[in-house]
Amino acid sequence: MLTNINITGIYVLDQDEALDFYVGKLGLEVGSDVDMGFMRWLTVHLPGDPDHQLLLEVPGRSPAHSAETAAQLRDLVTKGAMGAVVIFNTDDCEKLYEELSAKGVEFTDKPTKQPYGIDCAFRDPFGNHIRATQRVEGPVEVTDEDIARWSGA
């Protein structure tokens, strides 16, 4: 039986630039930084949460990708077409927005009240879509107005 998610992969185009963003701006910590010869195994995690890591992987650096597939993945990342790659929890979405904006993080959605809490969205330097949510306690009730707002109606 599976017990938890340990590592989730995010495609990045430059691992040093990814470190500057995820560690330098978001405040994550390096979990592993290992030169494996054919690739660099680079993970980061939230402070105090080393059991949930993000693998910052460059397409084409592992044997899993052909040159053609790596090029397609780089193109999708750059277009922001990979969907929400990670959703962080925060205890204060407005404060997070102010702090990261001051560090030059590009937000695509300002903090907005949702049925499940307050959330915002931003991109990493490569185009990956990241969200942060200040969750509410208790059951979530989605209204017709919420669905209409989400669908752009």
Side-chain angles (χ1 to χ4, degrees):
M1 175 182 269
L2 302 175
T3 58
N4 68 1
I5 296 173
N6 178 242
I7 299 174
T8 301
I10 297 177
Y11 291 121
V12 299
L13 304 183
D14 180 292
Q15 289 175 310
D16 289 327
E17 190 175 356
L19 272 181
D20 181 57
F21 180 78
Y22 287 94
V23 174
K25 292 186 178 182
L26 299 189
L28 277 66
E29 298 175 344
V30 174
S32 300
D33 190 354
V34 179
D35 181 356
M36 299 175 68
F38 64 94
M39 69 175 284
R40 180 180 178 191
W41 182 266
L42 178 61
T43 65
V44 293
H45 60 83
L46 290 168
D49 192 16
D51 292 336
H52 299 105
Q53 299 188 39
L54 300 176
L55 172 65
L56 305 175
E57 182 179 8
V58 177
R61 297 281 169 85
S62 76
H65 304 137
S66 67
E68 180 182 2
T69 299
Q72 292 170 335
L73 287 170
R74 286 191 295 271
D75 190 43
L76 289 171
V77 168
T78 302
K79 291 177 179 176
M82 301 299 284
V85 296
V86 63
I87 301 174
F88 293 106
N89 286 336
T90 179
D91 53 2
D92 190 334
C93 194
E94 291 282 349
K95 182 178 178 183
L96 178 74
Y97 172 77
E98 291 173 15
E99 290 176 354
L100 294 182
S101 292
K103 292 180 178 180
V105 173
E106 175 193 357
F107 276 80
T108 56
D109 288 327
K110 293 181 177 180
T112 303
K113 186 175 181 183
Q114 304 285 358
Y116 49 84
I118 300 171
D119 79 353
C120 60
F122 52 96
R123 295 185 189 279
D124 73 6
F126 316 103
N128 286 308
H129 182 80
I130 300 166
R131 299 196 76 86
T133 302
Q134 179 184 338
R135 298 172 60 180
V136 295
E137 297 291 327
V140 173
E141 183 177 331
V142 176
T143 64
D144 290 339
E145 290 83 21
D146 295 322
I147 294 170
R149 182 170 37 90
W150 293 333
S151 64

